[in-house]
Amino acid sequence: MDEPNINETERELAEEQMINEAFLRLQKSYLSSPHRKKIDIITKAFNFAKQAHKGVRRLSGEPYIMHPIAVALIASEEMGLGSTSICSALLHDVVEDTDYTVEDIANIFGPKIAQIVDGLTKISGGIFGDQASAQAENFKKLLLTMSDDIRVILIKICDRLHNMRTLESQPANKQYKIAGETLYIYAPLANRLGLNKIKSELENLSFKFEHPEEYQAITNKLSFTKEQRDRLFEQFTEPIHEALDKMGIKYEIKARVKTPYSIWTKMRNKNVTFEEIYDILAVRIIFTPKKREEEINECFNIYVALSKIYTSHPDRMREWLNHPKANGYQALHVTLMSRQGRWIEVQIRSDRMHEVAEQGFAAHWQYKDGAEIGEDEGELNDWLKTIKEILDDPQPDAMDFLDAIKLNLFASEIFVFTPKGEIKTMPAGCTALDFAFSIHTFLGSHCIGAKVNHKLVPLSHKLQSGDQVEILTSKAQHVQPSWITFVSTAKAKSKIQSMLRREDRETQRKGEKILNDWLQQNELELTTGVLDSLCEFHDLQKHDSLFLALGKKAILLSEKDIDAIRKKGKKKGNSSSTSWRKYVPFLHDKPKSENTEDKLYVVDSDFNKKKPVVITEQTIESYIFKNCCHPIPGDDALGFINNKQRIEIHKRTCPIATKLKSSFGNRILDAKWDMHKELFFDATIQIQGIDRKGMIHDVAEVISGELDVNIHRVTISSDKGIFDGSIELRVHDRDEVRVVMENLKKIDGLQDIQQIL
């Protein structure tokens, strides 16, 4: 009779031991760090969090306190942060998940830890109105607090990393939501903060959960080719060891293997196979300089020694020594031809540079026991200033807001000079107008052109690193709607949109009055249903867009609008996805219904989001297939519950789906295909190559003759011996497209084959 109690006691004792061992590891990690030892407050935070989360378990079944300990350990071991960060990590879920308040934390642990914990605590409601995105709201709050204390975002990244490491226990729809958000927001954030190792792990884990089959296939191939890579590494580095030993340098040489995610990305972007990627292996030389002030010169000395052994590629040298990246990264990258005939990248960096590359700014921040950011952290302060500018004027739409954050904060950078020779760091791809807004809003809004390297250029001129830029202005100039199409920085976009919104508000008020007067004349009332019907009839997404169009006289109301309002069976789904048949045409003898949209599934309160939606020949008409990514059977897919409670189907790699995962993750669903090659789908392949007689015949013979795949349309153009073309196919699934592309690669003269979404 007592056996269950004995087992329960044993389990509790085992869990207590597991918790204490985890905390002991955290203590050891902190005590071995260079921080001043404040172990008492860390122990106090641990005991407080342990008591607060007592009896609570994670989905994996382990005691909840194991999560805050793991987050604190990442902060200590992998970021090198101090006691304030470790305490905040231990306490980061207390306010959100228990009855304790931020005030309680402030009273017990002080205002700084309380401020960080508050920044990590989720909120509800906010700027995005009825269709509020909790994710965007919480990210906005995170950024607000982060702009005062950067440790907020660092601990959030630690929290996200541990959640990604333990994502197996979550249902598939939550996995896609968390992985998508991680790839869209947190991996770029980690990269921007110089946390390269963590960035790579976040990308790989996201890839693993969103595309498990591709991840496993690449991992298996990396494992299979490991022996070959090891042999190449040894042969390549042997003469380098000899040269560096003669120079008397203290160093180590490491192999850097491309991650599965970066391999997969390159395979997709370049449309190549795993076997065709030649830069999977890179070599990293990490040395201890004889004099710290001479470390840059020593990097070049090592490069000179290497160039005497191997031929270097003149176009592939990357020098981030004198001008580090905005995230603090410094190194010299050179590409050398090995004796096996392979180009191999070599990264040369000092031990200090390596530490910064691994731990980012955290490696040299002055956050030792509460000190603030050092005066030398100019790049970081500029970055935080940009965040504040975005937050001062946030976009009203959740996805636009997240886009604004990504535009500026995560872009590669270039160096541009002012007329006085001052260096300004700008995102790659920026224009002269972006540069004008970066200096001052007044300068941007009155900009009429620029002189780049003393030559007159238009506002849309894209800047290159090293350009000297002088902005030309006129008081008569004012912001134009077309500007938004070519600026790329968050500041320029937000300022232009803000000014245009101010102008649009007056026009919208005129449009609303026009609509009210028209409705009264036709004995109708202004209701949400009426506005929805008119928006749908005119292919507009928002009510404000309708008012604006009416105010600008772009829309003139007529009898057809009355018919649209009064029509009983109002059109369902959003305007960009009128029918699944439009975007997923099938060649099938089943009669097509005039009211396909009436068959769309409507999500109700009893709908179970944890279960996957299964797409079969019988249920396919129940879902909306979006034209942004054109998913077909075999694609990794997901579902999204739109504002009208219909289910849209996207590829998991779709850019729109990525934003949806980051903005409206609670509406994401798992989607599975269960098709039996009964229906046909459109797929388009783009081909390019050397033109010759009989090329089209050979292409058609492979597709229709050998593979028996139906060609719907072929478009080919040729110029100066090079041809470009696209082939529309009717296929059952993604496997058929893959087989077609693999066989086309065998045709003589066909150089490039890509699938178009």
Side-chain angles (χ1 to χ4, degrees):
M1 293 292 291
D2 293 332
E3 189 175 342
N5 291 332
I6 292 170
N7 289 340
E8 182 66 22
T9 303
E10 287 177 350
R11 184 170 67 84
E12 287 177 359
L13 288 170
E15 287 183 349
E16 186 71 18
Q17 184 180 351
M18 177 177 70
I19 293 167
N20 290 334
E21 285 176 355
F23 181 60
L24 184 63
R25 182 181 168 190
L26 174 62
Q27 285 179 307
K28 287 180 178 177
S29 170
Y30 173 67
L31 289 170
S32 64
S33 73
H35 295 277
R36 285 208 301 271
K37 305 304 175 253
K38 292 185 177 179
I39 199 68
D40 290 347
I41 193 169
I42 292 174
T43 305
K44 184 179 177 182
F46 163 67
N47 289 326
F48 185 88
K50 182 182 174 186
Q51 184 60 37
H53 294 300
K54 190 174 182 180
V56 183
R57 296 185 177 278
R58 302 191 83 207
L59 283 180
S60 61
E62 70 177 10
Y64 194 88
I65 187 62
M66 294 297 292
H67 169 63
I69 294 172
V71 174
L73 189 62
I74 293 169
S76 177
E77 272 190 354
E78 300 182 49
M79 284 197 190
L81 298 176
S83 59
T84 301
S85 300
I86 292 170
C87 289
S88 302
L90 287 167
L91 300 166
H92 79 273
D93 277 334
V94 166
V95 173
E96 187 177 323
D97 296 344
T98 75
D99 294 332
Y100 289 104
T101 64
V102 174
E103 289 73 24
D104 294 330
I105 302 295
N107 290 333
I108 299 167
F109 296 98
K112 179 52 71 178
I113 290 174
Q115 180 194 22
I116 296 172
V117 170
D118 184 36
L120 293 161
T121 302
K122 292 176 185 173
I123 56 175
S124 57
I127 63 170
F128 298 117
D130 294 336
Q131 301 300 332
S133 162
Q135 284 165 284
E137 283 292 352
N138 288 318
F139 190 63
K140 177 172 178 275
K141 181 184 178 186
L142 197 68
L143 292 175
L144 279 166
T145 320
M146 163 190 166
S147 60
D148 292 321
D149 195 322
I150 198 74
R151 286 173 290 192
V152 172
I153 203 71
L154 292 176
I155 296 165
K156 182 61 183 177
I157 289 171
C158 295
D159 177 43
R160 179 50 58 112
L161 180 56
H162 185 248
N163 283 334
M164 288 300 297
R165 287 173 177 174
T166 56
L167 202 56
E168 287 92 347
S169 55
Q170 293 281 359
N173 63 318
K174 281 287 184 70
Q175 289 179 350
Y176 302 153
K177 175 256 184 189
I178 294 168
E181 186 182 59
T182 298
L183 207 54
Y184 191 66
I185 295 290
Y186 290 102
L189 255 177
N191 182 54
R192 192 60 174 76
L193 290 165
L195 303 164
N196 184 60
K197 193 176 178 183
I198 288 175
K199 182 266 297 187
S200 295
E201 187 175 352
L202 288 174
E203 288 175 341
N204 275 327
L205 288 168
S206 298
F207 175 40
K208 175 184 175 182
F209 287 105
E210 288 212 273
H211 307 285
E213 290 181 9
E214 286 94 335
Y215 174 84
Q216 195 57 53
I218 292 173
T219 304
N220 290 343
K221 286 179 179 178
L222 280 172
S223 178
F224 183 73
T225 56
K226 182 179 183 302
E227 189 178 327
Q228 179 186 339
R229 280 197 312 278
D230 289 346
R231 190 163 55 251
L232 177 62
F233 174 76
E234 287 173 13
Q235 292 170 347
F236 180 75
T237 57
E238 187 178 348
I240 296 175
H241 277 290
E242 292 176 10
L244 297 184
D245 288 342
K246 284 180 183 177
M247 294 169 70
I249 294 173
K250 183 182 177 184
Y251 69 93
E252 61 177 328
I253 301 180
K254 294 182 176 180
R256 189 234 62 186
V257 179
K258 214 173 184 68
T259 64
Y261 173 77
S262 59
I263 291 171
W264 177 71
T265 303
K266 190 161 190 175
M267 286 168 64
R268 290 177 68 236
N269 292 343
K270 302 283 187 182
N271 197 43
V272 294
T273 63
F274 178 91
E275 290 71 25
E276 292 173 290
I277 296 177
Y278 292 108
D279 62 345
I280 288 175
L281 174 69
V283 171
R284 195 170 280 160
I285 299 173
I286 304 159
F287 68 94
T288 303
K290 293 166 185 173
K291 291 181 181 178
R292 186 59 61 191
E293 62 271 18
E294 292 293 321
E295 63 180 355
I296 291 177
N297 287 339
E298 289 194 41
C299 284
F300 283 109
N301 290 339
I302 291 171
Y303 164 63
V304 170
L306 296 184
S307 63
K308 291 177 181 177
I309 304 169
Y310 297 113
T311 302
S312 62
H313 196 302
D315 298 327
R316 291 195 197 171
M317 177 185 275
R318 300 289 181 268
E319 192 262 288
W320 290 293
L321 296 173
N322 294 300
H323 293 291
K325 288 186 178 183
N327 61 13
Y329 182 83
Q330 274 183 294
L332 178 62
H333 291 196
V334 296
T335 302
L336 306 174
M337 173 60 76
S338 71
R339 287 164 186 167
Q340 291 73 34
R342 296 276 291 271
W343 288 109
I344 295 179
E345 184 183 78
V346 179
Q347 302 168 359
I348 306 167
R349 56 174 76 151
S350 69
D351 48 6
R352 182 196 63 82
M353 295 174 189
H354 180 66
E355 189 180 2
V356 172
E358 293 296 297
Q359 294 189 340
F361 278 124
H364 57 102
W365 276 336
Q366 305 304 309
Y367 267 142
K368 310 298 183 191
D369 304 296
E372 297 302 320
I373 297 173
E375 290 299 317
D376 60 335
E377 306 301 341
E379 291 286 3
L380 179 64
N381 284 323
D382 288 346
W383 195 58
L384 296 177
K385 184 181 174 186
T386 303
I387 289 174
K388 287 178 179 175
E389 286 171 350
I390 295 168
L391 294 170
D392 283 343
D393 186 23
Q395 303 303 312
D397 181 83
M399 286 168 66
D400 287 347
F401 170 71
L402 291 174
D403 272 350
I405 293 296
K406 277 188 70 77
L407 270 172
N408 227 64
L409 304 191
F410 310 146
S412 299
E413 65 277 341
I414 60 172
F415 299 100
V416 182
F417 294 92
T418 67
K420 293 181 179 179
E422 297 170 4
I423 291 181
K424 278 192 73 70
T425 303
M426 296 289 294
C430 71
T431 62
L433 187 57
D434 286 305
F435 182 78
F437 272 104
S438 76
I439 296 171
H440 197 279
T441 302
F442 180 85
L443 204 63
S445 59
H446 292 83
C447 181
I448 55 171
K451 284 185 178 179
V452 174
N453 305 325
H454 310 293
K455 291 181 181 178
L456 194 64
V457 298
L459 302 178
S460 57
H461 177 81
K462 288 195 175 182
L463 302 178
Q464 303 293 324
S465 221
D467 282 347
Q468 188 169 34
V469 186
E470 179 187 351
I471 299 300
L472 307 175
T473 61
S474 166
K475 289 182 180 178
Q477 178 69 292
H478 62 277
V479 173
Q480 304 294 322
S482 60
W483 289 5
I484 207 74
T485 61
F486 59 77
V487 292
S488 64
T489 59
K491 181 174 181 179
K493 275 189 182 288
S494 66
K495 294 300 180 186
I496 293 167
Q497 286 170 336
S498 177
M499 292 172 188
L500 291 175
R501 279 201 300 272
R502 280 200 292 271
E503 293 177 9
D504 286 348
R505 283 187 202 112
E506 185 58 38
T507 310
Q508 285 172 358
R509 281 193 284 272
K510 289 179 185 175
E512 192 168 1
K513 186 178 185 306
I514 290 169
L515 180 60
N516 263 313
D517 293 346
W518 181 79
L519 289 172
Q520 285 176 10
Q521 290 169 14
N522 290 281
E523 299 179 350
L524 293 167
E525 291 184 15
L526 182 62
T527 65
T528 302
V530 166
L531 290 172
D532 287 345
S533 298
L534 289 173
C535 283
E536 199 163 332
F537 181 66
H538 290 287
D539 284 345
L540 297 169
Q541 299 294 319
K542 299 175 183 177
H543 298 168
D544 284 349
S545 303
L546 175 67
F547 295 143
L548 188 63
L550 289 167
K552 288 180 175 179
K553 306 290 175 68
I555 289 176
L556 298 175
L557 298 167
S558 66
E559 288 293 325
K560 291 181 180 179
D561 293 275
I562 296 174
D563 293 341
I565 293 168
R566 290 177 171 165
K567 191 177 178 183
K568 286 183 182 179
K570 291 190 184 111
K571 196 175 179 183
K572 306 295 182 183
N574 67 38
S575 61
S576 65
S577 51
T578 53
S579 162
W580 63 270
R581 287 192 181 279
K582 182 177 178 182
Y583 303 123
V584 188
F586 305 104
L587 300 182
H588 195 253
D589 56 6
K590 185 168 68 174
K592 294 185 179 181
S593 165
E594 291 296 324
N595 300 310
T596 301
E597 287 146 2
D598 293 342
K599 300 178 182 179
L600 293 175
Y601 185 85
V602 180
V603 173
D604 57 24
S605 57
D606 296 327
F607 184 80
N608 186 351
K609 294 180 183 178
K610 293 183 180 179
K611 286 188 175 181
V613 294
V614 181
I615 308 163
T616 67
E617 283 84 357
Q618 289 71 41
T619 64
I620 197 163
E621 294 187 53
S622 303
Y623 309 115
I624 300 168
F625 282 75
K626 301 291 289 182
N627 65 330
C628 50
C629 57
H630 196 79
I632 69 174
D635 286 330
D636 287 337
L638 57 76
F640 173 71
I641 303 170
N642 68 18
N643 293 341
K644 299 189 178 181
Q645 303 303 300
R646 304 293 198 261
I647 297 174
E648 301 173 359
I649 303 297
H650 293 264
K651 289 182 183 177
R652 289 182 216 156
T653 53
C654 170
I656 299 298
T658 301
K659 294 180 187 179
L660 293 172
K661 284 178 277 188
S662 304
S663 304
F664 303 102
N666 61 327
R667 302 195 211 165
I668 297 296
L669 308 170
D670 187 16
K672 304 287 187 193
W673 299 95
D674 185 19
M675 307 292 282
H676 304 90
K677 296 186 182 291
E678 293 178 18
L679 302 177
F680 286 88
F681 298 77
D682 281 346
T684 304
I685 293 174
Q686 193 171 51
I687 58 175
Q688 187 181 53
I690 309 300
D691 197 12
R692 61 172 173 79
K693 187 177 180 182
M695 175 62 79
I696 295 177
H697 172 270
D698 290 351
V699 168
E701 178 60 30
V702 166
I703 297 173
S704 296
E706 296 177 19
L707 302 176
D708 195 27
V709 172
N710 188 359
I711 298 176
H712 181 58
R713 183 184 290 114
V714 177
T715 307
I716 299 284
S717 63
S718 179
D719 183 36
K720 297 177 181 178
I722 304 295
F723 76 87
D724 277 293
S726 64
I727 307 167
E728 275 186 35
L729 308 174
R730 298 293 199 222
V731 296
H732 293 106
D733 52 36
R734 183 64 57 210
D735 282 341
E736 288 188 3
V737 180
R738 197 174 294 117
V739 169
V740 168
M741 292 175 71
E742 285 172 0
N743 280 271
L744 286 176
K745 286 181 180 179
K746 300 172 185 175
I747 295 177
D748 182 39
L750 219 163
Q751 302 290 322
D752 189 35
I753 305 161
Q754 296 186 38
Q755 185 197 336
I756 301 174
L757 291 179

